[in-house]
Amino acid sequence: MQSPVYLSGQFLLAMPGMIDPRFDHAVIAMCAHDKEGAIGIGIGATIDGLGLHDLLDQFDIPHGVAPDAPVHFGGPVEPRRGFVVHSGDWGGQDTIDVAGRWSLSSTVDVLRAIAEGSGPTRWLVALGYAGWGAGQLDGELSRPGWFHVEGDTALLFDGAAETRWAGAFAKAGIDTRLLAPTTGTA
């Protein structure tokens, strides 16, 4: 019997033809995946008209040195809950290390630190997450629809959201122009 593949620290990429339109061209930074379930943060799309300064204003946090960076659509689950995917050079109340590649925080202390200039050197902010119950993602991975690649911090922090999907496939040596939206039945 083959052991399950756990994807913490990897990117989960939606294949063309993904049935669920919420995940069209999705790039999900997988932050936890084990026998209990999985959670990831979408990093392939931003929320139109919403920037970091808007979020800071909601918490009465002065903008300080924080740029008004775009806020990412983290996923369809709890779309009002915020997350910061960031470099491992900062840690707060709830920060978790993700396979030694990046960290994840979800309390307001990380936003304060970013605004003050004492936070992580690299970061992105997202609202919502993608979540799967025990065995759910493993079942989805056994069918067409998802592809996973090693998490790349340069792509995570340096690339624009709209370029991450094609960029992640390119890092795996795949030209997205050659991907078909349907699978064969041979």
Short mmCIF file of all heavy atoms in Angstrom, two decimals, residues 121-152:
data_model
loop_
_atom_site.label_atom_id
_atom_site.label_comp_id
_atom_site.label_asym_id
_atom_site.label_seq_id
_atom_site.Cartn_x
_atom_site.Cartn_y
_atom_site.Cartn_z
N THR A 121 10.39 40.31 6.38
CA THR A 121 10.91 41.06 5.23
C THR A 121 10.12 40.79 3.97
O THR A 121 10.06 41.64 3.08
CB THR A 121 12.40 40.74 4.99
OG1 THR A 121 12.54 39.32 4.83
CG2 THR A 121 13.26 41.21 6.14
N ARG A 122 9.53 39.64 3.86
CA ARG A 122 8.73 39.28 2.68
C ARG A 122 7.39 38.76 3.15
O ARG A 122 7.32 37.95 4.08
CB ARG A 122 9.48 38.22 1.85
CG ARG A 122 10.85 38.73 1.43
CD ARG A 122 11.70 37.64 0.85
NE ARG A 122 11.43 37.58 -0.58
CZ ARG A 122 11.81 36.60 -1.37
NH1 ARG A 122 12.48 35.58 -0.88
NH2 ARG A 122 11.55 36.62 -2.65
N TRP A 123 6.32 39.18 2.49
CA TRP A 123 4.99 38.80 2.95
C TRP A 123 3.95 39.06 1.86
O TRP A 123 4.18 39.82 0.93
CB TRP A 123 4.61 39.57 4.22
CG TRP A 123 4.83 41.04 4.10
CD1 TRP A 123 5.96 41.73 4.46
CD2 TRP A 123 3.94 42.03 3.56
NE1 TRP A 123 5.81 43.07 4.17
CE2 TRP A 123 4.58 43.28 3.62
CE3 TRP A 123 2.65 41.97 3.03
CZ2 TRP A 123 3.98 44.45 3.17
CZ3 TRP A 123 2.05 43.14 2.58
CH2 TRP A 123 2.72 44.37 2.66
N LEU A 124 2.82 38.41 2.02
CA LEU A 124 1.62 38.73 1.25
C LEU A 124 0.42 38.48 2.14
O LEU A 124 0.43 37.62 3.02
CB LEU A 124 1.54 37.97 -0.08
CG LEU A 124 1.41 36.46 -0.12
CD1 LEU A 124 -0.02 36.00 0.13
CD2 LEU A 124 1.85 35.96 -1.47
N VAL A 125 -0.62 39.28 1.93
CA VAL A 125 -1.82 39.23 2.75
C VAL A 125 -2.94 38.61 1.92
O VAL A 125 -3.07 38.89 0.73
CB VAL A 125 -2.21 40.65 3.21
CG1 VAL A 125 -3.51 40.64 3.99
CG2 VAL A 125 -1.09 41.27 4.03
N ALA A 126 -3.76 37.79 2.58
CA ALA A 126 -4.88 37.13 1.90
C ALA A 126 -6.09 37.10 2.82
O ALA A 126 -5.96 37.07 4.05
CB ALA A 126 -4.50 35.71 1.49
N LEU A 127 -7.26 37.09 2.20
CA LEU A 127 -8.50 36.87 2.93
C LEU A 127 -9.08 35.53 2.49
O LEU A 127 -9.19 35.26 1.30
CB LEU A 127 -9.51 37.98 2.65
CG LEU A 127 -9.19 39.36 3.22
CD1 LEU A 127 -10.26 40.36 2.82
CD2 LEU A 127 -9.04 39.31 4.73
N GLY A 128 -9.43 34.71 3.48
CA GLY A 128 -9.98 33.39 3.21
C GLY A 128 -8.89 32.35 3.03
O GLY A 128 -7.70 32.66 3.00
N TYR A 129 -9.33 31.11 2.93
CA TYR A 129 -8.40 30.00 2.72
C TYR A 129 -9.12 28.88 1.98
O TYR A 129 -10.34 28.88 1.85
CB TYR A 129 -7.81 29.51 4.05
CG TYR A 129 -8.81 28.87 4.99
CD1 TYR A 129 -9.02 27.49 5.00
CD2 TYR A 129 -9.53 29.64 5.90
CE1 TYR A 129 -9.93 26.90 5.87
CE2 TYR A 129 -10.44 29.07 6.78
CZ TYR A 129 -10.63 27.70 6.76
OH TYR A 129 -11.54 27.12 7.62
N ALA A 130 -8.34 27.94 1.53
CA ALA A 130 -8.88 26.72 0.93
C ALA A 130 -8.66 25.61 1.96
O ALA A 130 -7.55 25.48 2.48
CB ALA A 130 -8.15 26.40 -0.38
N GLY A 131 -9.70 24.88 2.27
CA GLY A 131 -9.57 23.84 3.28
C GLY A 131 -10.20 22.54 2.85
O GLY A 131 -11.17 22.53 2.08
N TRP A 132 -9.65 21.46 3.34
CA TRP A 132 -10.14 20.12 3.04
C TRP A 132 -10.18 19.32 4.33
O TRP A 132 -9.26 19.40 5.15
CB TRP A 132 -9.21 19.41 2.06
CG TRP A 132 -9.14 20.02 0.69
CD1 TRP A 132 -9.88 19.66 -0.40
CD2 TRP A 132 -8.27 21.08 0.26
NE1 TRP A 132 -9.53 20.43 -1.48
CE2 TRP A 132 -8.55 21.33 -1.11
CE3 TRP A 132 -7.31 21.87 0.89
CZ2 TRP A 132 -7.90 22.29 -1.85
CZ3 TRP A 132 -6.66 22.85 0.16
CH2 TRP A 132 -6.95 23.05 -1.20
N GLY A 133 -11.21 18.52 4.51
CA GLY A 133 -11.32 17.64 5.67
C GLY A 133 -10.41 16.43 5.51
O GLY A 133 -9.75 16.25 4.48
N ALA A 134 -10.41 15.59 6.52
CA ALA A 134 -9.57 14.38 6.52
C ALA A 134 -9.81 13.56 5.26
O ALA A 134 -10.94 13.21 4.95
CB ALA A 134 -9.85 13.54 7.76
N GLY A 135 -8.76 13.31 4.50
CA GLY A 135 -8.82 12.48 3.31
C GLY A 135 -9.43 13.15 2.08
O GLY A 135 -9.36 12.60 0.99
N GLN A 136 -10.05 14.32 2.23
CA GLN A 136 -10.73 14.96 1.11
C GLN A 136 -9.78 15.36 -0.01
O GLN A 136 -10.02 15.06 -1.18
CB GLN A 136 -11.51 16.18 1.61
CG GLN A 136 -12.35 16.84 0.54
CD GLN A 136 -13.10 18.07 1.06
OE1 GLN A 136 -12.94 18.48 2.21
NE2 GLN A 136 -13.90 18.66 0.20
N LEU A 137 -8.69 16.04 0.33
CA LEU A 137 -7.74 16.45 -0.70
C LEU A 137 -7.07 15.22 -1.33
O LEU A 137 -6.86 15.17 -2.53
CB LEU A 137 -6.69 17.41 -0.15
CG LEU A 137 -5.64 17.89 -1.15
CD1 LEU A 137 -6.27 18.58 -2.36
CD2 LEU A 137 -4.65 18.83 -0.47
N ASP A 138 -6.77 14.24 -0.51
CA ASP A 138 -6.14 13.02 -1.03
C ASP A 138 -7.04 12.39 -2.09
O ASP A 138 -6.56 11.94 -3.13
CB ASP A 138 -5.88 12.04 0.11
CG ASP A 138 -5.12 12.69 1.25
OD1 ASP A 138 -4.06 13.29 1.00
OD2 ASP A 138 -5.60 12.62 2.40
N GLY A 139 -8.34 12.40 -1.85
CA GLY A 139 -9.29 11.87 -2.84
C GLY A 139 -9.30 12.72 -4.10
O GLY A 139 -9.33 12.18 -5.22
N GLU A 140 -9.27 14.04 -3.95
CA GLU A 140 -9.27 14.92 -5.11
C GLU A 140 -7.99 14.74 -5.94
O GLU A 140 -8.02 14.83 -7.16
CB GLU A 140 -9.40 16.38 -4.68
CG GLU A 140 -10.78 16.74 -4.19
CD GLU A 140 -10.94 18.21 -3.88
OE1 GLU A 140 -10.21 19.05 -4.47
OE2 GLU A 140 -11.81 18.54 -3.05
N LEU A 141 -6.87 14.49 -5.27
CA LEU A 141 -5.60 14.31 -5.98
C LEU A 141 -5.57 13.02 -6.79
O LEU A 141 -4.75 12.89 -7.70
CB LEU A 141 -4.43 14.34 -5.00
CG LEU A 141 -4.16 15.69 -4.34
CD1 LEU A 141 -3.10 15.55 -3.25
CD2 LEU A 141 -3.74 16.73 -5.37
N SER A 142 -6.45 12.08 -6.47
CA SER A 142 -6.47 10.82 -7.22
C SER A 142 -7.26 10.95 -8.53
O SER A 142 -7.29 10.03 -9.33
CB SER A 142 -7.06 9.69 -6.36
OG SER A 142 -8.44 9.91 -6.15
N ARG A 143 -7.89 12.11 -8.72
CA ARG A 143 -8.65 12.38 -9.95
C ARG A 143 -8.02 13.57 -10.67
O ARG A 143 -7.33 14.37 -10.05
CB ARG A 143 -10.11 12.71 -9.59
CG ARG A 143 -10.84 11.57 -8.89
CD ARG A 143 -12.30 11.93 -8.59
NE ARG A 143 -12.49 13.10 -7.75
CZ ARG A 143 -12.49 13.10 -6.42
NH1 ARG A 143 -12.29 11.96 -5.77
NH2 ARG A 143 -12.70 14.20 -5.74
N PRO A 144 -8.29 13.73 -11.96
CA PRO A 144 -7.77 14.91 -12.67
C PRO A 144 -8.33 16.19 -12.06
O PRO A 144 -9.45 16.22 -11.57
CB PRO A 144 -8.29 14.73 -14.10
CG PRO A 144 -8.63 13.29 -14.23
CD PRO A 144 -9.03 12.83 -12.85
N GLY A 145 -7.53 17.24 -12.09
CA GLY A 145 -8.00 18.54 -11.60
C GLY A 145 -6.92 19.34 -10.91
O GLY A 145 -6.89 20.56 -11.01
N TRP A 146 -6.04 18.65 -10.19
CA TRP A 146 -4.98 19.35 -9.47
C TRP A 146 -3.61 18.83 -9.88
O TRP A 146 -3.45 17.66 -10.22
CB TRP A 146 -5.12 19.15 -7.96
CG TRP A 146 -6.30 19.81 -7.34
CD1 TRP A 146 -7.41 19.18 -6.83
CD2 TRP A 146 -6.52 21.20 -7.12
NE1 TRP A 146 -8.28 20.10 -6.32
CE2 TRP A 146 -7.76 21.36 -6.49
CE3 TRP A 146 -5.77 22.34 -7.41
CZ2 TRP A 146 -8.28 22.59 -6.12
CZ3 TRP A 146 -6.29 23.58 -7.06
CH2 TRP A 146 -7.52 23.70 -6.42
N PHE A 147 -2.63 19.70 -9.80
CA PHE A 147 -1.23 19.36 -10.06
C PHE A 147 -0.44 20.04 -8.96
O PHE A 147 -0.76 21.16 -8.55
CB PHE A 147 -0.82 19.91 -11.44
CG PHE A 147 0.57 19.55 -11.87
CD1 PHE A 147 0.84 18.28 -12.35
CD2 PHE A 147 1.59 20.48 -11.82
CE1 PHE A 147 2.13 17.93 -12.76
CE2 PHE A 147 2.88 20.14 -12.23
CZ PHE A 147 3.14 18.86 -12.71
N HIS A 148 0.58 19.39 -8.44
CA HIS A 148 1.37 20.05 -7.39
C HIS A 148 2.84 20.12 -7.78
O HIS A 148 3.36 19.26 -8.49
CB HIS A 148 1.17 19.37 -6.02
CG HIS A 148 1.53 17.92 -5.98
ND1 HIS A 148 2.78 17.48 -5.66
CD2 HIS A 148 0.79 16.81 -6.23
CE1 HIS A 148 2.81 16.16 -5.69
NE2 HIS A 148 1.60 15.73 -6.04
N VAL A 149 3.45 21.21 -7.32
CA VAL A 149 4.87 21.46 -7.57
C VAL A 149 5.50 21.96 -6.27
O VAL A 149 4.80 22.42 -5.36
CB VAL A 149 5.08 22.50 -8.69
CG1 VAL A 149 4.53 22.02 -10.02
CG2 VAL A 149 4.49 23.86 -8.33
N GLU A 150 6.80 21.89 -6.22
CA GLU A 150 7.52 22.38 -5.06
C GLU A 150 7.24 23.87 -4.87
O GLU A 150 7.21 24.64 -5.83
CB GLU A 150 9.02 22.16 -5.25
CG GLU A 150 9.86 22.60 -4.06
CD GLU A 150 11.33 22.26 -4.23
OE1 GLU A 150 11.63 21.18 -4.76
OE2 GLU A 150 12.16 23.10 -3.83
N GLY A 151 7.02 24.28 -3.63
CA GLY A 151 6.80 25.69 -3.33
C GLY A 151 8.07 26.48 -3.57
O GLY A 151 9.13 26.10 -3.10
N ASP A 152 7.97 27.54 -4.31
CA ASP A 152 9.11 28.37 -4.68
C ASP A 152 8.92 29.75 -4.07
O ASP A 152 8.00 30.47 -4.44
CB ASP A 152 9.18 28.44 -6.21
CG ASP A 152 10.33 29.28 -6.69
OD1 ASP A 152 10.18 30.51 -6.75
OD2 ASP A 152 11.39 28.70 -7.01
#
